[in-house]
Amino acid sequence: MMNCSKKENTNLNTPYVISKKDILTNISNKPRDKNIPPPPPIPGWLAYGTNTFIIDTDSKIYYFQRNKIGRICINGRFDTIPYFIDLQPKDLIEIPNNAISDFVKLNYKDDFRNLTFISSKLDTLKSENYFVLVKAIESSLKENDFYFIRRTTQEEDTVLKYKKNNISYYSEEIKWDKNRITFPFIKPILKPQQTP
């Protein structure tokens, strides 16, 4: 008799471990040409993209959207520490578990480039919500759209904490770790000098 046991598909729902991957590397399932180098790390001013999904420790998914991203041209050295974007608790939308696919389809735009980040508070992603989210994103990608997986930023962690605990949030009162967040330089407004 021949053994006709079914082989299990090991690629289906395989946990994704962020620390074992190149952080901020495109994780599209399309095979990569070995002669083409991987994309460079994302600069700090671009750490959020147009669509950002945050997967919390309890597998709940939150979402926020930003302005469209134009052409990305990187040359020279740049800082990869995420910029402060003044994210607010009201900007985070909790996505119901049974609506993840529909939510992605409704919020992906055809009229501009979608640059998506999945950020996680955990290093290993293995929840069903994560796999549903990735499948929905991959089915919505168009030419020149990308998605990346990374750890959550200090700002995302902080704002999510205030959102979940329903606490008033004032970013200027937070003791930010300046090694983990960059505050863009704001040129002071100078008052015109009066002549005597």
Side-chain angles (χ1 to χ4, degrees), residues 52-111:
T52 301
F53 295 90
I54 301 171
I55 301 177
D56 198 9
T57 53
D58 58 4
S59 297
K60 287 184 181 176
I61 298 178
Y62 296 84
Y63 170 82
F64 67 94
Q65 192 172 58
R66 297 192 28 112
N67 295 332
K68 66 181 179 178
I69 303 296
R71 185 181 175 110
I72 301 170
C73 206
I74 300 171
N75 40 0
R77 297 189 60 152
F78 52 81
D79 192 356
T80 57
I81 298 174
Y83 276 38
F84 175 78
I85 60 169
D86 199 22
L87 184 63
Q88 299 292 315
K90 67 178 177 55
D91 299 332
L92 298 180
I93 299 167
E94 184 178 344
I95 305 173
N97 293 346
N98 61 353
I100 295 169
S101 292
D102 291 336
F103 186 90
V104 171
K105 290 174 189 169
L106 289 171
N107 285 285
Y108 261 67
K109 308 294 184 209
D110 290 332
D111 58 344

Side-chain angles (χ1 to χ4, degrees), residues 13 37 60 70 89 97 117 122 142 152 154 170 186 188:
N13 293 355
K60 287 184 181 176
N97 293 346
F117 285 88
L122 299 174
K142 302 179 311 295
T152 50
Q154 179 184 15
Y170 303 98
I186 299 171

Side-chain angles (χ1 to χ4, degrees), residues 37-54:
I42 300 297
W45 54 267
L46 190 61
Y48 297 98
T50 54
N51 305 288
T52 301
F53 295 90
I54 301 171

